[in-house]
Each structure stands twice: as structure tokens, then as C-alpha cells.
Amino acid sequence: MDRRRVIQGLGLGAVAAATAACAREKEAPAEQADTRTFNWRMATTWPPNFPALGTGANQLAEMIERCSAGRLKIKVYGANELVPAFEVFDAVSSGTAEMGHGAAYYWKGKIGSASFFSAVPFGLTTQEINGWFYYGGGLELWKEAYAPFGVIPMPGGNSGTQMGGWFRKEIKSVDDLKGLKMRIPGIAGEVLQRAGGTPVTLPGGEIFTALETGAIDATEWIGPYNDLAFGLYKAAKYYYYPGWHEPGTCLEAIINQKAFEGLPADLQEIVLTCCHAVNEMMNAEFLARNAEALQTLIRDHGVMLRRFPDDVLKTLRELSVQVIEEGAASDPFYARVHESVKAFQERSAAYLKVAEEAYLQARSA
Ligand code: CA
């Protein structure tokens, strides 16, 4: 087997680990196999077994256990089972959990640039963010951002382009955003505010009731698969696209650095390779299930699908650039990450125009 070919396409950490493992094998062929077993905990930001996101974390733990023939066992905890959802990063940093699964933008209060490693409005798509991570310097920047906390990040799933959200009334112009109370977190919330709306932050479990009672006028959540499961169509009929605010949200698998360094090289390699695998598998699951769920929403539940008008998207895009540029002006590391993403996106956008974008248009013409 050509090991060099196998390790191509893995992150630099994985390459280093694999190279070290190969070197050791050559120098000391008679060395005893390391048969120690390890028991790890994985804290997640998702309710237990939450469709695609929580089940993706379960899948990652199961893959690692199978690939290591049981030498590395990982017990997965849903939100609040080990620590609350928004304490997962701290739990992995302190070693309370050796691994975590969540999304980088949850930690933007701690690391200003964190949103770039999950999703920013009008930013990278799934395919692009993976290109940026593995071949555009993105993963190195992400590792640099988390290093002071003793945490190693890996892409650990992707939702694909999300939906724009559920609205109780139609959005026909920029004026309809004025006074709109919408559950929409992060940078996108700031963008909505500048467009005259009122962003609201609510945990997933409270969204349905808030929308049904009219406490909020609109909400974004994820995509058809998860939105159908939440029953959001019962609370609002208009389902808008595209998800300008989350064009290809990357989920993260995070690892306590000391715990990682305590693993034999082959187990390190297994952990990283399984993260790559789940990053791919989760996105595949989202595509298949979202496509099916969208049909169900339209056919069985009478959902009215709407595209945001062009002038609304233009306004949101301009405001997004403004918010992000301001972030870059006040934080040098944020500025570095932003520059890297911006340069990558300019190149990939020009390429995708003549690749996927042109093909999809040609296919549906
Ligand atoms: Ca979302």
C-alpha cells in the first residue's frame, strides 16, 4: 500500500502523526504493539441523538472504536448530560471531556474569529470551506485560534446550505424587515438589526412555541430535515431560501491536546481520519434527508416556498460585509482569518461560476 498516497488529503497533524508512525515502524520493526486501551468522553452541544448533528457525533465515536478495534472507546454525552451545551469548549479545554462536538460560532465570545470556522453570512459553501480548511490554510488558522486553549479542532460535519427560515408573513421588500422579530443568532443577527429588524437568541427547544404564539415573527433553524422534525411548518407557512446567513455550516470535532498527545500514533491517526470521514458522511446525510423532507413539507404540509427578493439579499449582503469589515478592523487575528477567507472565496467563486454554478443552471434550463 502506498502510504504517501493514503496520507495525502489529510490535515497536517494527521500527516505528521502518520509519518511518525511509519518512521517508527521502519526503525523498530520488532517493537511490541501498543495494546493499551483508552476511555474518552465526548461532550456535545446537541440534545442526545439529535437528528444528523447528534447522531453524527455518535457515528464519529462508533467509527473510532471500530477502527481502533476497541482500543479507544468514546462515550458521547448530549447537552446537559455532562456539561451544558455552551460549556463544551471549556470542558474540552480543561480535560473534563477529551473530545467535544459542536460548532465554532458558539465560541465567538471567547474567540472573535470563531464564526469563520463554521459559517459567516454570504461566506463559503460546504465545498469551499472544506477546500479552504484542507488546502487553503484554513485548518492551520483554526488550530492557531484554539491552541491557547489546549484544544485541537477538526471539521466534524457540515449542514450544507441552510434555509432562510420560517416567516409568519411574506417578505416582499427591505421594508418588511423593519420591526421583524426573528430568532437568528451571531453575525447574521447583527446584520438583521442594521436592516431594521430585532434579532432574538433562543435555544432550539424554545423556538416552536415562540413562533406559534407570535412572540417572534420569524426564525431560522437548519434545513428541511431538522425543521420538519421540529414541526416549524405548523407555526409559520412561508419558508424562505436561500440561507444567506449559513451558506455551508461546518460542525466541529474538538480534542483536548494533552489527551491527544497521550495516544499512540496509530490511534491519533484513527481519530483524525474518522473526523474527516464524519465531515463527509454528515454532509451526505443532510443532502439526502433535506431533499426528501423538502418534498414532504410542500406536498403534505402545504408549506409556501419563497425566495428572498433580490433587493433584500443585496441589502443583507452589503450589511454583512460592513459588519465583518468592522470586526476585522478591531482584531488583528480576525483580520488575518478574514483576509484568508476572502482571498480563497474570490478564487473559488470565479471557478465555481464556470463549474457547479454553470452546470446546475444548465441542468435545470
Ligand atoms: Ca441555523
Side-chain angles (χ1 to χ4, degrees), residues 191-314:
V191 172
L192 178 71
Q193 190 156 34
R194 292 188 191 195
T198 308
V200 177
T201 304
L202 284 177
E206 291 172 29
I207 295 176
F208 179 83
T209 309
L211 188 61
E212 197 188 30
T213 58
I216 54 174
D217 307 310
T219 186
E220 70 84 45
W221 181 226
I222 303 175
Y225 179 46
N226 296 93
D227 294 6
L228 173 65
F230 255 34
L232 293 172
Y233 60 88
K234 292 179 208 156
K237 277 293 170 208
Y238 297 107
Y239 197 21
Y240 271 85
Y241 68 96
W244 57 275
H245 61 300
E246 295 197 62
T249 306
C250 178
L251 292 319
E252 66 178 12
I254 51 177
I255 311 160
N256 175 279
Q257 194 175 339
K258 277 208 186 80
F260 185 77
E261 285 165 0
L263 291 177
D266 64 331
L267 291 188
Q268 290 181 342
E269 172 68 10
I270 285 171
V271 169
L272 300 179
T273 303
C274 289
C275 290
H276 285 291
V278 83
N279 191 41
E280 177 73 29
M281 291 302 289
M282 192 191 291
N283 185 237
E285 181 180 10
F286 265 118
L287 181 83
R289 301 208 194 280
N290 276 333
E292 207 179 300
L294 182 63
Q295 295 290 304
T296 305
L297 285 168
I298 296 167
R299 190 187 54 222
D300 301 343
H301 300 298
V303 165
M304 314 286 272
L305 204 56
R306 293 283 185 277
R307 184 183 184 276
F308 286 119
D310 285 338
D311 65 325
V312 169
L313 289 173
K314 183 170 179 282

